Amino acid sequence: TALNLESLVLSHNDVGDDGGAAVLRALLENRVLKSLALNNCLRPRCTQALDALAKLIASPCPLETLLIQGGATGRLAGELI
């Protein structure tokens, strides 16, 4: 049975580099999810996850909302810019 999950909130979970990369790579095949929240999940050193995030953003995925505020230390957004 296929799931029609439109929103996924993983905020405030330390998914780590491997976990974050796995979730984001899986979403490259996503045709349904419209909202993803990863607030305070990723750290600047999560290079695999951040690479997967860049690929997801560049893909034709149907995401309308992506929340990635802060990191485990609250500095991710500033360090990405």
Side-chain angles (χ1 to χ4, degrees):
T1 305
L3 296 176
N4 292 318
L5 185 68
E6 291 187 7
S7 179
L8 179 60
V9 178
L10 296 174
S11 295
H12 308 286
N13 286 289
D14 188 10
V15 297
D17 197 22
D18 292 338
V23 168
L24 294 163
R25 280 193 301 263
L27 290 176
L28 287 171
E29 304 299 321
N30 168 52
R31 301 294 176 254
V32 179
L33 194 73
K34 293 181 180 180
S35 177
L36 175 63
L38 294 170
N39 293 320
N40 298 309
C41 284
L42 304 175
R43 297 179 178 164
R45 286 179 240 132
C46 289
T47 56
Q48 293 179 57
L50 295 174
D51 182 56
L53 177 61
K55 289 177 183 171
L56 178 65
I57 292 169
S59 77
C61 72
L63 276 180
E64 296 172 359
T65 304
L66 174 62
L67 303 172
I68 55 169
Q69 180 178 8
T73 61
R75 300 180 324 197
L76 180 63
E79 291 188 27
L80 286 177
I81 297 173

Short mmCIF file of all heavy atoms in Angstrom, two decimals:
data_model
loop_
_atom_site.label_atom_id
_atom_site.label_comp_id
_atom_site.label_asym_id
_atom_site.label_seq_id
_atom_site.Cartn_x
_atom_site.Cartn_y
_atom_site.Cartn_z
N THR A 1 0.84 -1.18 0.00
CA THR A 1 0.00 0.00 0.00
C THR A 1 0.88 1.24 0.00
O THR A 1 1.78 1.37 0.82
CB THR A 1 -0.90 0.03 1.25
OG1 THR A 1 -1.64 -1.17 1.31
CG2 THR A 1 -1.83 1.21 1.21
N ALA A 2 0.64 2.13 -0.92
CA ALA A 2 1.40 3.37 -1.01
C ALA A 2 0.88 4.38 0.00
O ALA A 2 -0.33 4.48 0.23
CB ALA A 2 1.30 3.94 -2.42
N LEU A 3 1.80 5.11 0.61
CA LEU A 3 1.42 6.16 1.55
C LEU A 3 1.37 7.49 0.82
O LEU A 3 2.19 7.75 -0.06
CB LEU A 3 2.43 6.26 2.69
CG LEU A 3 2.53 5.05 3.60
CD1 LEU A 3 3.64 5.26 4.62
CD2 LEU A 3 1.21 4.81 4.32
N ASN A 4 0.43 8.31 1.17
CA ASN A 4 0.32 9.64 0.59
C ASN A 4 0.69 10.69 1.62
O ASN A 4 -0.06 11.61 1.91
CB ASN A 4 -1.10 9.88 0.06
CG ASN A 4 -1.38 9.02 -1.14
OD1 ASN A 4 -0.53 8.86 -2.00
ND2 ASN A 4 -2.55 8.43 -1.19
N LEU A 5 1.88 10.55 2.18
CA LEU A 5 2.39 11.45 3.20
C LEU A 5 2.73 12.80 2.56
O LEU A 5 3.57 12.86 1.67
CB LEU A 5 3.63 10.84 3.84
CG LEU A 5 4.25 11.56 5.00
CD1 LEU A 5 3.32 11.50 6.21
CD2 LEU A 5 5.58 10.92 5.35
N GLU A 6 2.06 13.86 3.00
CA GLU A 6 2.30 15.19 2.43
C GLU A 6 3.18 16.06 3.30
O GLU A 6 3.71 17.06 2.83
CB GLU A 6 0.98 15.89 2.15
CG GLU A 6 0.19 15.25 1.03
CD GLU A 6 -1.03 16.06 0.65
OE1 GLU A 6 -1.23 17.17 1.16
OE2 GLU A 6 -1.79 15.55 -0.19
N SER A 7 3.35 15.71 4.57
CA SER A 7 4.14 16.52 5.49
C SER A 7 4.95 15.59 6.40
O SER A 7 4.43 14.61 6.92
CB SER A 7 3.22 17.40 6.33
OG SER A 7 3.96 18.18 7.23
N LEU A 8 6.24 15.93 6.58
CA LEU A 8 7.11 15.15 7.44
C LEU A 8 7.88 16.12 8.34
O LEU A 8 8.55 17.03 7.85
CB LEU A 8 8.08 14.33 6.60
CG LEU A 8 9.09 13.46 7.34
CD1 LEU A 8 8.39 12.43 8.22
CD2 LEU A 8 10.02 12.77 6.34
N VAL A 9 7.76 15.93 9.65
CA VAL A 9 8.44 16.77 10.62
C VAL A 9 9.44 15.91 11.39
O VAL A 9 9.05 15.03 12.14
CB VAL A 9 7.45 17.44 11.60
CG1 VAL A 9 8.19 18.27 12.64
CG2 VAL A 9 6.44 18.29 10.85
N LEU A 10 10.71 16.18 11.16
CA LEU A 10 11.78 15.49 11.88
C LEU A 10 12.51 16.45 12.82
O LEU A 10 13.54 16.10 13.37
CB LEU A 10 12.77 14.87 10.89
CG LEU A 10 12.21 13.77 10.00
CD1 LEU A 10 13.24 13.34 8.97
CD2 LEU A 10 11.75 12.59 10.83
N SER A 11 12.00 17.64 12.98
CA SER A 11 12.63 18.69 13.77
C SER A 11 13.00 18.22 15.17
O SER A 11 12.30 17.41 15.77
CB SER A 11 11.71 19.90 13.88
OG SER A 11 11.50 20.47 12.61
N HIS A 12 14.14 18.74 15.63
CA HIS A 12 14.65 18.50 16.99
C HIS A 12 15.03 17.04 17.23
O HIS A 12 14.92 16.54 18.34
CB HIS A 12 13.66 19.01 18.04
CG HIS A 12 13.26 20.43 17.81
ND1 HIS A 12 14.11 21.48 18.07
CD2 HIS A 12 12.13 20.96 17.31
CE1 HIS A 12 13.50 22.61 17.74
NE2 HIS A 12 12.30 22.32 17.28
N ASN A 13 15.42 16.35 16.18
CA ASN A 13 15.95 15.00 16.27
C ASN A 13 17.36 15.02 15.71
O ASN A 13 17.61 15.57 14.64
CB ASN A 13 15.10 14.01 15.47
CG ASN A 13 13.79 13.72 16.14
OD1 ASN A 13 13.75 13.05 17.15
ND2 ASN A 13 12.71 14.26 15.59
N ASP A 14 18.27 14.41 16.40
CA ASP A 14 19.65 14.36 15.93
C ASP A 14 19.77 13.20 14.94
O ASP A 14 20.22 12.11 15.29
CB ASP A 14 20.61 14.17 17.11
CG ASP A 14 22.07 14.30 16.70
OD1 ASP A 14 22.34 14.71 15.55
OD2 ASP A 14 22.93 13.98 17.53
N VAL A 15 19.33 13.45 13.71
CA VAL A 15 19.35 12.39 12.69
C VAL A 15 20.76 12.09 12.22
O VAL A 15 21.01 11.04 11.66
CB VAL A 15 18.43 12.73 11.50
CG1 VAL A 15 17.00 12.82 11.94
CG2 VAL A 15 18.87 14.00 10.80
N GLY A 16 21.67 13.02 12.42
CA GLY A 16 23.05 12.82 12.02
C GLY A 16 23.25 12.87 10.52
O GLY A 16 22.30 13.01 9.74
N ASP A 17 24.49 12.74 10.12
CA ASP A 17 24.84 12.85 8.70
C ASP A 17 24.26 11.69 7.89
O ASP A 17 23.61 11.90 6.87
CB ASP A 17 26.36 12.90 8.55
CG ASP A 17 26.80 13.40 7.19
OD1 ASP A 17 26.00 14.09 6.51
OD2 ASP A 17 27.95 13.14 6.80
N ASP A 18 24.47 10.47 8.35
CA ASP A 18 23.97 9.31 7.61
C ASP A 18 22.45 9.28 7.54
O ASP A 18 21.87 9.04 6.48
CB ASP A 18 24.47 8.00 8.25
CG ASP A 18 25.97 7.81 8.10
OD1 ASP A 18 26.56 8.41 7.18
OD2 ASP A 18 26.54 7.05 8.90
N GLY A 19 21.80 9.53 8.67
CA GLY A 19 20.34 9.52 8.70
C GLY A 19 19.73 10.63 7.86
O GLY A 19 18.78 10.41 7.11
N GLY A 20 20.29 11.83 7.98
CA GLY A 20 19.80 12.95 7.19
C GLY A 20 19.98 12.71 5.70
O GLY A 20 19.09 12.96 4.90
N ALA A 21 21.14 12.18 5.33
CA ALA A 21 21.41 11.88 3.91
C ALA A 21 20.45 10.82 3.40
O ALA A 21 19.92 10.93 2.29
CB ALA A 21 22.85 11.44 3.72
N ALA A 22 20.18 9.79 4.20
CA ALA A 22 19.28 8.72 3.78
C ALA A 22 17.86 9.25 3.55
O ALA A 22 17.23 8.93 2.53
CB ALA A 22 19.26 7.60 4.83
N VAL A 23 17.37 10.07 4.47
CA VAL A 23 16.03 10.65 4.32
C VAL A 23 15.97 11.53 3.07
O VAL A 23 15.04 11.41 2.26
CB VAL A 23 15.64 11.47 5.57
CG1 VAL A 23 14.40 12.30 5.32
CG2 VAL A 23 15.43 10.56 6.76
N LEU A 24 16.95 12.39 2.91
CA LEU A 24 16.93 13.34 1.79
C LEU A 24 17.10 12.63 0.45
O LEU A 24 16.47 13.00 -0.54
CB LEU A 24 17.98 14.42 2.01
CG LEU A 24 17.67 15.32 3.21
CD1 LEU A 24 18.90 16.10 3.63
CD2 LEU A 24 16.51 16.25 2.89
N ARG A 25 17.94 11.59 0.40
CA ARG A 25 18.09 10.82 -0.85
C ARG A 25 16.79 10.09 -1.20
O ARG A 25 16.39 10.03 -2.36
CB ARG A 25 19.24 9.83 -0.75
CG ARG A 25 20.61 10.47 -0.96
CD ARG A 25 21.69 9.43 -1.16
NE ARG A 25 21.80 8.53 -0.03
CZ ARG A 25 22.67 8.65 0.97
NH1 ARG A 25 23.53 9.65 0.96
NH2 ARG A 25 22.68 7.78 1.95
N ALA A 26 16.12 9.56 -0.18
CA ALA A 26 14.84 8.88 -0.42
C ALA A 26 13.80 9.84 -0.99
O ALA A 26 12.97 9.46 -1.81
CB ALA A 26 14.32 8.26 0.88
N LEU A 27 13.88 11.09 -0.58
CA LEU A 27 12.91 12.08 -1.07
C LEU A 27 13.14 12.48 -2.52
O LEU A 27 12.28 13.10 -3.13
CB LEU A 27 12.93 13.32 -0.17
CG LEU A 27 12.34 13.09 1.22
CD1 LEU A 27 12.50 14.33 2.07
CD2 LEU A 27 10.89 12.66 1.15
N LEU A 28 14.29 12.12 -3.09
CA LEU A 28 14.52 12.40 -4.51
C LEU A 28 13.49 11.67 -5.38
O LEU A 28 13.18 12.11 -6.48
CB LEU A 28 15.94 12.02 -4.93
CG LEU A 28 17.03 12.95 -4.42
CD1 LEU A 28 18.40 12.35 -4.71
CD2 LEU A 28 16.90 14.32 -5.07
N GLU A 29 12.98 10.56 -4.88
CA GLU A 29 11.95 9.79 -5.59
C GLU A 29 10.54 10.21 -5.19
O GLU A 29 9.57 9.66 -5.70
CB GLU A 29 12.14 8.30 -5.30
CG GLU A 29 13.51 7.77 -5.65
CD GLU A 29 13.83 7.92 -7.13
OE1 GLU A 29 12.92 7.71 -7.97
OE2 GLU A 29 14.98 8.27 -7.45
N ASN A 30 10.43 11.16 -4.29
CA ASN A 30 9.15 11.62 -3.77
C ASN A 30 8.29 12.28 -4.85
O ASN A 30 8.77 13.09 -5.62
CB ASN A 30 9.42 12.63 -2.64
CG ASN A 30 8.18 13.38 -2.23
OD1 ASN A 30 7.17 12.78 -1.93
ND2 ASN A 30 8.27 14.69 -2.21
N ARG A 31 7.05 11.92 -4.85
CA ARG A 31 6.10 12.55 -5.76
C ARG A 31 4.92 13.16 -5.01
O ARG A 31 4.01 13.70 -5.62
CB ARG A 31 5.56 11.52 -6.76
CG ARG A 31 6.62 10.86 -7.62
CD ARG A 31 7.27 11.87 -8.57
NE ARG A 31 8.33 11.27 -9.33
CZ ARG A 31 9.63 11.48 -9.12
NH1 ARG A 31 10.02 12.28 -8.18
NH2 ARG A 31 10.54 10.91 -9.87
N VAL A 32 4.94 13.06 -3.66
CA VAL A 32 3.79 13.47 -2.87
C VAL A 32 4.13 14.50 -1.79
O VAL A 32 3.39 15.45 -1.59
CB VAL A 32 3.12 12.23 -2.21
CG1 VAL A 32 1.94 12.63 -1.36
CG2 VAL A 32 2.70 11.23 -3.27
N LEU A 33 5.24 14.31 -1.08
CA LEU A 33 5.57 15.14 0.07
C LEU A 33 5.71 16.61 -0.33
O LEU A 33 6.44 16.94 -1.25
CB LEU A 33 6.88 14.67 0.71
CG LEU A 33 7.17 15.23 2.09
CD1 LEU A 33 6.26 14.58 3.12
CD2 LEU A 33 8.62 15.01 2.46
N LYS A 34 4.99 17.48 0.39
CA LYS A 34 5.00 18.90 0.07
C LYS A 34 5.68 19.75 1.14
O LYS A 34 6.05 20.88 0.88
CB LYS A 34 3.57 19.40 -0.12
CG LYS A 34 2.91 18.80 -1.34
CD LYS A 34 1.52 19.32 -1.53
CE LYS A 34 0.91 18.67 -2.76
NZ LYS A 34 -0.44 19.14 -3.01
N SER A 35 5.83 19.19 2.35
CA SER A 35 6.41 19.95 3.44
C SER A 35 7.37 19.07 4.24
O SER A 35 7.02 17.97 4.64
CB SER A 35 5.29 20.46 4.36
OG SER A 35 5.83 21.15 5.46
N LEU A 36 8.58 19.59 4.46
CA LEU A 36 9.60 18.87 5.21
C LEU A 36 10.22 19.82 6.22
O LEU A 36 10.66 20.91 5.88
CB LEU A 36 10.68 18.34 4.27
CG LEU A 36 11.90 17.66 4.91
CD1 LEU A 36 11.47 16.42 5.66
CD2 LEU A 36 12.93 17.33 3.84
N ALA A 37 10.23 19.41 7.49
CA ALA A 37 10.82 20.22 8.55
C ALA A 37 12.00 19.47 9.15
O ALA A 37 11.85 18.36 9.66
CB ALA A 37 9.79 20.54 9.62
N LEU A 38 13.18 20.07 9.05
CA LEU A 38 14.41 19.51 9.62
C LEU A 38 15.06 20.49 10.59
O LEU A 38 16.27 20.52 10.73
CB LEU A 38 15.40 19.19 8.48
CG LEU A 38 14.99 18.09 7.51
CD1 LEU A 38 15.94 18.05 6.33
CD2 LEU A 38 14.94 16.76 8.21
N ASN A 39 14.24 21.30 11.26
CA ASN A 39 14.77 22.29 12.20
C ASN A 39 15.60 21.62 13.28
O ASN A 39 15.18 20.64 13.89
CB ASN A 39 13.63 23.07 12.85
CG ASN A 39 12.90 23.94 11.85
OD1 ASN A 39 13.52 24.55 10.99
ND2 ASN A 39 11.60 23.97 11.93
N ASN A 40 16.79 22.15 13.51
CA ASN A 40 17.70 21.67 14.54
C ASN A 40 18.05 20.19 14.39
O ASN A 40 18.24 19.49 15.37
CB ASN A 40 17.13 21.94 15.93
CG ASN A 40 16.96 23.42 16.17
OD1 ASN A 40 17.88 24.19 15.98
ND2 ASN A 40 15.77 23.82 16.57
N CYS A 41 18.11 19.71 13.16
CA CYS A 41 18.47 18.31 12.91
C CYS A 41 19.89 18.16 12.37
O CYS A 41 20.58 17.21 12.72
CB CYS A 41 17.53 17.69 11.87
SG CYS A 41 15.91 17.29 12.50
N LEU A 42 20.29 19.04 11.50
CA LEU A 42 21.56 18.89 10.80
C LEU A 42 22.61 19.82 11.37
O LEU A 42 22.30 20.89 11.87
CB LEU A 42 21.38 19.17 9.31
CG LEU A 42 20.32 18.32 8.61
CD1 LEU A 42 20.16 18.78 7.17
CD2 LEU A 42 20.66 16.84 8.68
N ARG A 43 23.84 19.41 11.27
CA ARG A 43 24.97 20.22 11.73
C ARG A 43 25.81 20.60 10.52
O ARG A 43 25.78 19.92 9.50
CB ARG A 43 25.81 19.42 12.72
CG ARG A 43 25.03 19.07 13.95
CD ARG A 43 25.84 18.27 14.91
NE ARG A 43 25.01 18.02 16.08
CZ ARG A 43 25.28 17.12 16.96
NH1 ARG A 43 26.34 16.37 16.85
NH2 ARG A 43 24.49 16.95 17.99
N PRO A 44 26.61 21.67 10.62
CA PRO A 44 27.44 22.07 9.48
C PRO A 44 28.37 20.96 9.00
O PRO A 44 28.73 20.91 7.85
CB PRO A 44 28.24 23.26 10.02
CG PRO A 44 27.36 23.84 11.09
CD PRO A 44 26.68 22.64 11.71
N ARG A 45 28.76 20.03 9.87
CA ARG A 45 29.64 18.95 9.46
C ARG A 45 28.91 17.78 8.83
O ARG A 45 29.51 16.78 8.50
CB ARG A 45 30.46 18.46 10.66
CG ARG A 45 31.55 19.46 11.00
CD ARG A 45 32.33 18.99 12.21
NE ARG A 45 32.16 20.04 13.21
CZ ARG A 45 31.83 19.85 14.47
NH1 ARG A 45 31.66 18.65 14.93
NH2 ARG A 45 31.68 20.86 15.28
N CYS A 46 27.62 17.87 8.67
CA CYS A 46 26.82 16.82 8.03
C CYS A 46 26.94 16.95 6.51
O CYS A 46 25.98 17.29 5.82
CB CYS A 46 25.36 16.90 8.46
SG CYS A 46 25.06 16.41 10.16
N THR A 47 28.12 16.70 5.99
CA THR A 47 28.38 16.96 4.58
C THR A 47 27.56 16.09 3.65
O THR A 47 27.11 16.56 2.60
CB THR A 47 29.88 16.81 4.26
OG1 THR A 47 30.31 15.49 4.66
CG2 THR A 47 30.70 17.85 4.99
N GLN A 48 27.35 14.82 3.99
CA GLN A 48 26.54 13.95 3.13
C GLN A 48 25.09 14.43 3.10
O GLN A 48 24.46 14.46 2.04
CB GLN A 48 26.58 12.51 3.64
CG GLN A 48 27.92 11.83 3.52
CD GLN A 48 27.85 10.43 4.07
OE1 GLN A 48 27.03 9.63 3.64
NE2 GLN A 48 28.68 10.14 5.06
N ALA A 49 24.57 14.79 4.26
CA ALA A 49 23.19 15.26 4.34
C ALA A 49 23.02 16.58 3.61
O ALA A 49 22.04 16.79 2.90
CB ALA A 49 22.75 15.40 5.80
N LEU A 50 23.98 17.48 3.76
CA LEU A 50 23.88 18.78 3.08
C LEU A 50 24.02 18.62 1.57
O LEU A 50 23.35 19.32 0.80
CB LEU A 50 24.91 19.75 3.64
CG LEU A 50 24.69 20.12 5.12
CD1 LEU A 50 25.84 20.98 5.64
CD2 LEU A 50 23.36 20.81 5.32
N ASP A 51 24.85 17.68 1.12
CA ASP A 51 24.96 17.39 -0.31
C ASP A 51 23.64 16.83 -0.84
O ASP A 51 23.16 17.24 -1.90
CB ASP A 51 26.10 16.40 -0.56
CG ASP A 51 26.29 16.11 -2.03
OD1 ASP A 51 26.49 17.07 -2.80
OD2 ASP A 51 26.23 14.92 -2.41
N ALA A 52 23.03 15.92 -0.08
CA ALA A 52 21.74 15.36 -0.48
C ALA A 52 20.66 16.43 -0.49
O ALA A 52 19.78 16.44 -1.35
CB ALA A 52 21.35 14.21 0.46
N LEU A 53 20.73 17.37 0.46
CA LEU A 53 19.77 18.47 0.51
C LEU A 53 19.90 19.35 -0.74
O LEU A 53 18.90 19.73 -1.34
CB LEU A 53 20.00 19.31 1.77
CG LEU A 53 19.13 20.54 1.93
CD1 LEU A 53 17.65 20.17 1.99
CD2 LEU A 53 19.53 21.32 3.17
N ALA A 54 21.12 19.64 -1.15
CA ALA A 54 21.34 20.44 -2.36
C ALA A 54 20.77 19.73 -3.59
O ALA A 54 20.13 20.36 -4.44
CB ALA A 54 22.83 20.71 -2.54
N LYS A 55 20.97 18.42 -3.67
CA LYS A 55 20.42 17.65 -4.80
C LYS A 55 18.90 17.65 -4.78
O LYS A 55 18.25 17.75 -5.82
CB LYS A 55 20.96 16.23 -4.78
CG LYS A 55 22.41 16.16 -5.16
CD LYS A 55 22.95 14.75 -5.07
CE LYS A 55 24.45 14.78 -5.40
NZ LYS A 55 25.10 13.51 -5.12
N LEU A 56 18.32 17.55 -3.58
CA LEU A 56 16.86 17.57 -3.46
C LEU A 56 16.30 18.91 -3.92
O LEU A 56 15.33 18.97 -4.67
CB LEU A 56 16.45 17.28 -2.02
CG LEU A 56 14.96 17.31 -1.72
CD1 LEU A 56 14.24 16.20 -2.48
CD2 LEU A 56 14.70 17.21 -0.24
N ILE A 57 16.94 19.98 -3.48
CA ILE A 57 16.47 21.32 -3.86
C ILE A 57 16.56 21.53 -5.37
O ILE A 57 15.70 22.15 -5.97
CB ILE A 57 17.26 22.40 -3.10
CG1 ILE A 57 16.91 22.35 -1.62
CG2 ILE A 57 17.00 23.79 -3.68
CD1 ILE A 57 17.80 23.19 -0.73
N ALA A 58 17.59 20.98 -6.00
CA ALA A 58 17.79 21.13 -7.44
C ALA A 58 16.89 20.20 -8.25
O ALA A 58 16.75 20.38 -9.46
CB ALA A 58 19.25 20.88 -7.80
N SER A 59 16.28 19.23 -7.61
CA SER A 59 15.46 18.25 -8.32
C SER A 59 14.04 18.80 -8.55
O SER A 59 13.65 19.78 -7.94
CB SER A 59 15.38 16.95 -7.51
OG SER A 59 14.47 17.09 -6.42
N PRO A 60 13.28 18.11 -9.40
CA PRO A 60 11.89 18.53 -9.63
C PRO A 60 10.91 17.99 -8.58
O PRO A 60 9.79 17.66 -8.89
CB PRO A 60 11.59 17.96 -11.01
CG PRO A 60 12.44 16.74 -11.10
CD PRO A 60 13.70 17.07 -10.33
N CYS A 61 11.35 17.89 -7.34
CA CYS A 61 10.48 17.36 -6.28
C CYS A 61 9.34 18.34 -6.01
O CYS A 61 9.47 19.53 -6.24
CB CYS A 61 11.27 17.07 -5.01
SG CYS A 61 11.80 18.55 -4.14
N PRO A 62 8.23 17.85 -5.48
CA PRO A 62 7.06 18.71 -5.25
C PRO A 62 7.09 19.49 -3.93
O PRO A 62 6.08 20.07 -3.56
CB PRO A 62 5.90 17.71 -5.24
CG PRO A 62 6.49 16.46 -4.72
CD PRO A 62 7.91 16.44 -5.25
N LEU A 63 8.22 19.54 -3.24
CA LEU A 63 8.28 20.27 -1.97
C LEU A 63 7.90 21.73 -2.16
O LEU A 63 8.39 22.40 -3.06
CB LEU A 63 9.69 20.22 -1.37
CG LEU A 63 10.07 19.01 -0.55
CD1 LEU A 63 11.49 19.15 -0.04
CD2 LEU A 63 9.13 18.77 0.60
N GLU A 64 7.01 22.19 -1.31
CA GLU A 64 6.61 23.59 -1.30
C GLU A 64 7.19 24.31 -0.09
O GLU A 64 7.41 25.51 -0.13
CB GLU A 64 5.08 23.69 -1.27
CG GLU A 64 4.43 23.12 -2.52
CD GLU A 64 2.92 23.05 -2.41
OE1 GLU A 64 2.35 23.43 -1.36
OE2 GLU A 64 2.30 22.59 -3.38
N THR A 65 7.44 23.55 1.00
CA THR A 65 7.96 24.13 2.23
C THR A 65 9.11 23.27 2.73
O THR A 65 8.96 22.05 2.87
CB THR A 65 6.87 24.18 3.32
OG1 THR A 65 5.75 24.89 2.82
CG2 THR A 65 7.39 24.85 4.57
N LEU A 66 10.24 23.90 2.99
CA LEU A 66 11.40 23.22 3.55
C LEU A 66 11.91 24.06 4.71
O LEU A 66 12.31 25.21 4.52
CB LEU A 66 12.50 23.06 2.49
CG LEU A 66 13.83 22.49 2.96
CD1 LEU A 66 13.64 21.08 3.50
CD2 LEU A 66 14.82 22.50 1.82
N LEU A 67 11.88 23.51 5.91
CA LEU A 67 12.32 24.23 7.10
C LEU A 67 13.60 23.59 7.62
O LEU A 67 13.61 22.41 7.98
CB LEU A 67 11.23 24.17 8.18
CG LEU A 67 9.87 24.72 7.76
CD1 LEU A 67 8.83 24.44 8.83
CD2 LEU A 67 9.95 26.20 7.47
N ILE A 68 14.70 24.36 7.63
CA ILE A 68 15.98 23.84 8.11
C ILE A 68 16.64 24.82 9.08
O ILE A 68 17.84 24.93 9.13
CB ILE A 68 16.94 23.51 6.95
CG1 ILE A 68 17.13 24.72 6.05
CG2 ILE A 68 16.50 22.30 6.19
CD1 ILE A 68 18.25 24.58 5.05
N GLN A 69 15.85 25.51 9.84
CA GLN A 69 16.36 26.51 10.77
C GLN A 69 17.29 25.89 11.80
O GLN A 69 16.98 24.87 12.39
CB GLN A 69 15.20 27.19 11.47
CG GLN A 69 15.62 28.25 12.44
CD GLN A 69 14.42 28.91 13.08
OE1 GLN A 69 13.29 28.48 12.91
NE2 GLN A 69 14.67 29.96 13.83
N GLY A 70 18.42 26.53 11.99
CA GLY A 70 19.34 26.11 13.03
C GLY A 70 19.98 24.77 12.79
O GLY A 70 19.77 24.11 11.78
N GLY A 71 20.77 24.38 13.72
CA GLY A 71 21.39 23.07 13.73
C GLY A 71 21.42 22.65 15.18
O GLY A 71 20.76 23.26 16.02
N ALA A 72 22.16 21.66 15.50
CA ALA A 72 22.23 21.23 16.90
C ALA A 72 22.74 22.37 17.78
O ALA A 72 22.40 22.46 18.94
CB ALA A 72 23.11 20.00 17.02
N THR A 73 23.54 23.25 17.19
CA THR A 73 24.05 24.39 17.95
C THR A 73 23.32 25.69 17.59
O THR A 73 23.67 26.73 18.08
CB THR A 73 25.55 24.59 17.66
OG1 THR A 73 25.71 24.85 16.26
CG2 THR A 73 26.35 23.37 18.08
N GLY A 74 22.36 25.61 16.67
CA GLY A 74 21.63 26.80 16.25
C GLY A 74 22.37 27.66 15.25
O GLY A 74 21.95 28.75 14.94
N ARG A 75 23.50 27.18 14.70
CA ARG A 75 24.30 28.00 13.81
C ARG A 75 24.25 27.57 12.35
O ARG A 75 24.89 28.17 11.52
CB ARG A 75 25.76 27.95 14.26
CG ARG A 75 25.98 28.45 15.64
CD ARG A 75 27.43 28.36 16.02
NE ARG A 75 28.03 27.16 15.44
CZ ARG A 75 29.15 26.64 15.83
NH1 ARG A 75 29.82 27.18 16.81
NH2 ARG A 75 29.65 25.57 15.26
N LEU A 76 23.51 26.52 12.01
CA LEU A 76 23.57 25.97 10.67
C LEU A 76 23.24 26.99 9.59
O LEU A 76 23.98 27.14 8.62
CB LEU A 76 22.64 24.76 10.53
CG LEU A 76 22.62 24.10 9.15
CD1 LEU A 76 23.99 23.55 8.82
CD2 LEU A 76 21.59 23.02 9.10
N ALA A 77 22.15 27.72 9.73
CA ALA A 77 21.73 28.65 8.69
C ALA A 77 22.82 29.67 8.38
O ALA A 77 23.13 29.93 7.22
CB ALA A 77 20.43 29.36 9.09
N GLY A 78 23.42 30.24 9.39
CA GLY A 78 24.48 31.22 9.18
C GLY A 78 25.71 30.63 8.53
O GLY A 78 26.35 31.26 7.72
N GLU A 79 26.03 29.40 8.85
CA GLU A 79 27.22 28.78 8.30
C GLU A 79 26.98 28.30 6.87
O GLU A 79 27.92 28.15 6.09
CB GLU A 79 27.67 27.62 9.18
CG GLU A 79 28.19 28.14 10.51
CD GLU A 79 28.83 27.05 11.36
OE1 GLU A 79 29.32 26.07 10.80
OE2 GLU A 79 28.82 27.22 12.59
N LEU A 80 25.73 28.06 6.48
CA LEU A 80 25.43 27.68 5.11
C LEU A 80 25.53 28.87 4.17
O LEU A 80 25.84 28.73 3.01
CB LEU A 80 24.03 27.05 5.01
CG LEU A 80 23.90 25.65 5.56
CD1 LEU A 80 22.44 25.22 5.46
CD2 LEU A 80 24.77 24.67 4.84
N ILE A 81 25.20 30.05 4.68
CA ILE A 81 25.18 31.26 3.83
C ILE A 81 26.55 31.69 3.54
O ILE A 81 27.44 31.68 3.15
CB ILE A 81 24.42 32.40 4.51
CG1 ILE A 81 22.98 31.97 4.70
CG2 ILE A 81 24.53 33.68 3.72
CD1 ILE A 81 22.16 32.93 5.51
#
